[in-house]
Amino acid sequence: MKKKLFNTILGGSLLLLITINIFFVLNYFFHFAMARMLPIEQYGILVTLYSIIYILAVFTESIQLVITKYTTGKNEGEIKNLVKKSSAKSFKISLLLFFVYLIISIPLSIVLKIEYPLVALTGVIIFSSFLLPITRGALQGQKRFGTLGFNMISEALIKLSSAIFLVLIGWMVYGAVIATLLGTYFSLLISFVSLKDIFKTKEIKSKNIGIYAYSAPVFVAIIAVIVFYSIDVIIAKIFFSAEIAGYYAVASMISKVIFFGTQPISKAMFPISSESKDGERRKKIFKYALLLLGGLIIAGLLVVYLFPGLLIKIFSGRDIPQITNILILPAIATSLISLANLNILYKLSQGKVRGCFYLPIFIIIEVILMSIFSSNLTSFSLAFVLSSIIFLIGSIILHK
């Protein structure tokens, strides 16, 4: 029984680990290319815009999580009904939010010192942030991990190739952002194609008892995680010069490899834990997921600790002594966030959502600490680590 359960977790995790890590590798090739092709100041702008994209992706992660939970164990007719209803509602909401974003972008562009059209263009990602997670959530809920991974790889390939071409012809940061949009909307198109067997079935009204009561705390929990690991670059852009903010952006993107690289384990655990009704079995699922996650984190931190200069050189194509000695700090912070994310997803898979509404408090703590200790990159990074420790402890206590 234990061996079968471990193989189930490992099998789902391994398939997602391979396919989604190919996706992340391609995404990092995108950043490798952009870090080399763009001046350091412009790369800092791009990473800041990507932090906004990550924050807007809270809709993606939370919607995908909800759809995954409510398509797990359902028949194809019910899934068709849920996908259709969710898509219609999501489009209306995304349209409204896009107009709100265009207004918010006016002061945001001033604070971040980025021209308004570029910030506004980034907001087009809102539509795919609402629609793409519905189809991907259905794939994840049906445990079609291979198809889900292929969908993500396709997105990354289109983004990478388009970005290189558009930057080469002189579109610079605009080209990188447009390429991101092209990749996302292409993957949205093929995700519908991947579910064609479901769309061909007879539609059955889906009874999703408690979906709205469940969605709100899920949204809050996911936004807490995503904003927590994304906002460091935005704070750096506010307090540091364009050059120093660009240096920190490189360190931040390298450290995020740990979070993105271990995320498939959490993604594979969620539907398996959601489907199980046995409390003891769920605990074993979490135990094995934690074991796999911990092993990868230790390996990642060891590489960062031993070869910081080499990693920076490989990633950015240049030596940046300003971040060589502090690279391990954002890597530790990201590792702690990965552990907190696993814990939060495990509790959400059980329907335990009461403590979620308090999680944004830790974002406020993070902003305060990193703003106070912004005199140099070392103290700034230490504040990030301290914030992450508080976040991990808080996520455990709140869910108990």
Side-chain angles (χ1 to χ4, degrees), residues 257-289:
V257 171
I258 294 175
F259 182 86
F260 294 133
T262 57
Q263 203 176 28
I265 296 171
S266 304
K267 284 183 176 290
M269 176 204 69
F270 186 82
I272 298 170
S273 178
S274 294
E275 194 174 35
S276 176
K277 306 300 180 185
D278 184 352
E280 285 302 315
R281 186 172 187 272
R282 277 178 167 172
K283 289 179 181 178
K284 290 175 183 176
I285 290 169
F286 177 70
K287 174 185 172 183
Y288 294 138

Side-chain angles (χ1 to χ4, degrees), residues 71-234:
T71 54
T72 300
K74 292 283 183 73
N75 64 55
E76 293 182 345
E78 290 178 302
I79 294 173
K80 178 181 179 180
N81 179 254
L82 179 59
V83 169
K84 285 179 63 178
K85 288 192 300 183
S86 301
S87 297
K89 289 180 181 178
S90 292
F91 180 76
K92 293 177 183 177
I93 295 171
S94 59
L95 189 61
L96 175 62
L97 281 177
F98 178 64
F99 286 117
V100 172
Y101 175 83
L102 290 178
I103 297 171
I104 295 174
S105 294
I106 297 172
L108 187 63
S109 63
I110 297 171
V111 172
L112 296 177
K113 294 164 281 189
I114 303 173
E115 54 189 88
Y116 175 75
L118 191 53
V119 179
L121 177 64
T122 304
V124 178
I125 201 82
I126 288 174
F127 295 98
S128 59
S129 295
F130 272 87
L131 296 170
L132 185 57
I134 296 171
T135 49
R136 282 184 174 172
L139 292 171
Q140 188 177 344
Q142 292 291 291
K143 302 185 187 69
R144 301 185 187 183
F145 296 137
T147 306
L148 176 62
F150 172 77
N151 183 273
M152 299 178 75
I153 291 170
S154 300
E155 174 190 340
L157 281 171
I158 294 295
K159 180 174 74 173
L160 174 61
S161 56
S162 300
I164 292 173
F165 172 74
L166 292 174
V167 173
L168 279 174
I169 64 174
W171 288 23
M172 306 305 281
V173 181
Y174 277 94
V177 173
I178 291 171
T180 301
L181 297 173
L182 288 174
T184 303
Y185 283 97
F186 177 80
S187 65
L188 175 61
L189 176 63
I190 64 172
S191 68
F192 278 102
V193 175
S194 301
L195 292 171
K196 62 182 179 181
D197 58 321
I198 288 176
F199 291 124
K200 287 180 180 178
T201 59
K202 183 179 179 180
E203 188 173 343
I204 301 172
K205 188 173 181 179
S206 178
K207 296 179 181 179
N208 304 299
I209 300 170
I211 188 170
Y212 294 111
Y214 180 75
S215 300
V218 167
F219 175 79
V220 173
I222 298 302
I223 197 171
V225 174
I226 292 178
V227 172
F228 199 94
Y229 76 66
S230 302
I231 205 169
D232 62 319
V233 175
I234 295 176

Side-chain angles (χ1 to χ4, degrees), residues 24-45:
F24 290 139
V25 166
L26 291 171
N27 269 320
Y28 271 90
F29 279 153
F30 166 83
H31 281 283
F32 291 160
M34 296 303 100
R36 286 166 168 75
M37 297 172 73
L38 296 172
I40 191 67
E41 294 84 358
Q42 289 208 26
Y43 181 67
I45 291 173

